[in-house]
């Protein structure tokens, strides 16, 4: 203890040695998280197929809500979860099943839109504030090391450490700023607030939607196979009629047939089309020009508005 007490700047040296020992491991932990956040943010914002998918969802939502409200310019990301809550009258299909079916028929090139989105799972686990704080901590540690070298100019350990890691830390600081800017830009692009929407909330919107989309694809294919099997099944031959003990059955009154026919006509279909085929017009128009609400015109950008969030 006496010998330790005679060492000049003991606390500064211990802090510096701790920083130098933990520096490589800290960089290995921080760098992949920054890379995942940058890749996920930029891929979501630049994906042309994802924009088209959201545009189709907006068009169908405006069609369904046209009798209640005017056309919306966009919808909140929370509305993607509601696509599974809107179901057909027989409760067997959801609105997402119907949209997936129409995309397969009319827009087959959009079916693999999720292939343009990268590292969403990893980016959802990143705490951006903590990562940026760790980067600032490394920056302060490097400043202390440089200050110590100014006192001990002939120390080869400090010289080697600074010469090999100064550029690496500068690159890490630049990546931290890039990650912050890329994430803020992506969140604001979809109408959210980056200050109140962390990566753990923003990216799961798309993760859940992709998972539900794939599940809907599989269920649609399974339903088609089941219908094909039922169609190909040979009809069962009618049983020979036994006339020995035949009992005379009175025919149904005419009004019973009329009631049965009326019941069939009262069954509402999955999606009602107008006399002019409004859904087909939407699908045809979306192939040529993107859909917006201003005066029933079309624009190339999808804006975000909270009007649609409650109605889809």
């Amino acid at each position: 203890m006496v010998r330790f007490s005679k060492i000049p700047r003991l606390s500064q040296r211990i802090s510096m040695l701790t920083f130098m020992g933990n520096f490589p491991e800290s960089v290995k932990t921080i760098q992949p998280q920054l890379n995942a956040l940058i890749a996920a943010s930029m891929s979501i914002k630049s994906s042309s197929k994802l924009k088209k998918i959201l545009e189709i969802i907006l068009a169908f939502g405006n069609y369904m809500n046209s009798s209640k409200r005017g056309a919306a310019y966009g919808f909140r990301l929370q509305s993607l979860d509601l696509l599974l809550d809107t179901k057909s009258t027989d409760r067997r299909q959801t609105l997402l099943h119907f949209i997936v079916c129409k995309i397969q028929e009319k827009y087959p090139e959009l079916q693999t839109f999720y292939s343009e989105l990268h590292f969403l799972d990893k980016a959802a686990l990143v705490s951006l504030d903590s990562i940026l704080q760790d980067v600032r901590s490394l920056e302060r540690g490097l400043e202390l090391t440089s200050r110590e070298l100014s006192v001990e100019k002939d120390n080869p350990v400090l010289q080697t450490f600074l010469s090999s890691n100064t550029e690496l830390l500068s690159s890490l600081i630049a990546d931290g700023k890039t990650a912050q800017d890329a994430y803020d830009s992506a969140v604001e692009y979809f109408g959210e607030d980056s200050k109140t929407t962390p990566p753990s909330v923003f990216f799961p919107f798309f993760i859940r939607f992709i998972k539900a989309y794939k599940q809907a694809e599989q269920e649609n294919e399974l339903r088609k196979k089941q219908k094909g099997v039922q169609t190909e099944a040979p009809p069962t031959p009618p049983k020979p009629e036994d006339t020995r003990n035949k009992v005379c059955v009175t025919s149904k009154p005419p009004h019973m047939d009329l009631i049965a026919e009326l019941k069939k006509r009262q069954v509402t279909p999955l999606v009602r089309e107008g006399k002019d085929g409004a859904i087909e017009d939407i699908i045809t128009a979306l192939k040529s020009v993107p859909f917006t609400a201003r005066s029933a015109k079309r624009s190339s950008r999808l804006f975000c508005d909270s009007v649609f969030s409650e109605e889809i």
Side-chain angles (χ1 to χ4, degrees):
M1 294 298 296
V2 172
R3 294 182 62 182
F4 268 111
S5 64
K6 295 181 179 179
I7 298 176
R9 303 182 311 282
L10 179 61
S11 61
Q12 292 86 343
R13 288 187 175 186
I14 292 177
S15 299
M16 181 191 61
L17 290 174
T18 303
F19 166 74
M20 293 172 60
N22 296 333
F23 184 83
E25 188 66 26
S26 299
V27 173
K28 290 181 181 179
T29 303
I30 295 173
Q31 188 68 61
Q33 297 184 63
L34 293 177
N35 294 340
L37 193 61
I38 294 171
S41 300
M42 296 183 69
S43 65
I44 282 181
K45 185 178 178 181
S46 62
S47 174
S48 59
K49 293 183 180 180
L50 176 62
K51 295 175 186 176
K52 194 67 177 179
I53 292 289
L54 297 179
E55 187 178 342
I56 293 171
I57 295 174
L58 175 63
F60 277 104
N62 280 333
Y63 173 77
M64 295 174 63
N65 298 331
S66 59
S67 61
K68 297 181 180 180
R69 298 183 179 182
Y73 291 99
F75 58 91
R76 304 298 294 270
L77 293 177
Q78 291 90 332
S79 299
L80 294 176
D81 297 330
L82 301 179
L83 295 176
L84 294 174
D85 296 336
T86 306
K87 297 184 179 180
S88 60
T89 54
D90 58 4
R91 313 295 293 177
R92 295 182 179 180
Q93 296 187 54
T94 65
L95 178 58
L96 182 59
H97 287 89
F98 182 77
I99 293 176
V100 169
C101 182
K102 289 301 178 182
I103 290 175
Q104 290 176 337
E105 295 177 2
K106 308 293 183 178
Y107 307 94
E109 71 279 1
L110 302 180
Q111 295 184 67
T112 57
F113 72 95
Y114 40 80
S115 63
E116 295 183 348
L117 309 180
H118 308 290
F119 300 104
L120 298 184
D121 294 335
K122 294 182 179 179
L125 301 177
V126 175
S127 175
L128 184 57
D129 293 336
S130 298
I131 291 297
L132 295 179
Q133 186 176 357
D134 292 341
V135 173
R136 288 191 291 268
S137 178
L138 293 179
E139 189 176 6
R140 289 193 298 269
L142 197 68
E143 291 177 357
L144 292 176
T145 306
S146 300
R147 196 176 305 141
E148 187 66 24
L149 181 61
S150 63
V151 177
E152 301 181 20
K153 297 182 180 180
D154 298 332
N155 192 319
V157 177
L158 297 179
Q159 292 176 352
T160 302
F161 177 82
L162 290 173
S163 61
S164 59
N165 294 304
T166 300
E167 186 176 353
L168 178 60
L169 182 59
S170 299
S171 176
L172 194 67
I173 294 173
D175 289 344
K177 188 177 184 306
T178 302
Q180 177 77 70
D181 296 340
Y183 179 72
D184 291 345
S185 178
V187 173
E188 293 173 2
Y189 183 79
F190 287 97
E192 303 292 338
D193 187 1
S194 59
K195 295 181 179 179
T196 58
T197 310
S200 59
V201 175
F202 178 70
F203 292 110
F205 286 133
F206 300 96
I207 295 174
R208 291 192 299 269
F209 175 67
I210 292 173
K211 183 179 179 181
Y213 187 94
K214 292 180 178 180
Q215 182 68 25
E217 280 185 326
Q218 296 176 1
E219 293 174 355
N220 285 347
E221 291 297 327
L222 181 60
R223 191 176 292 110
K224 288 180 181 179
K225 291 180 180 179
Q226 291 176 349
K227 288 183 178 179
V229 171
Q230 294 176 359
T231 304
E232 295 175 359
T236 56
K239 295 182 178 179
E241 188 176 0
D242 188 2
T243 58
R244 289 177 299 177
N245 297 323
K246 187 174 180 180
V247 179
C248 181
V249 180
T250 58
S251 59
K252 294 182 180 180
H255 69 275
M256 295 300 294
D257 294 335
L258 179 60
I259 293 175
E261 181 65 20
L262 289 175
K263 286 183 178 180
K264 291 181 180 179
R265 295 185 181 182
Q266 288 178 353
V267 176
T268 32
L270 174 63
V271 174
R272 295 179 298 173
E273 294 192 10
K275 295 181 180 179
D276 56 348
I279 285 185
E280 294 299 328
D281 292 343
I282 291 175
I283 294 174
T284 304
L286 280 173
K287 287 187 175 181
S288 56
V289 185
F291 182 90
T292 61
R294 188 186 301 276
S295 303
K297 295 182 180 179
R298 306 187 177 274
S299 172
S300 60
R301 181 165 182 188
L302 177 66
F303 295 90
C304 293
D305 191 353
S306 60
V307 175
F308 183 57
S309 60
E310 299 177 356
E311 293 299 331
I312 190 169

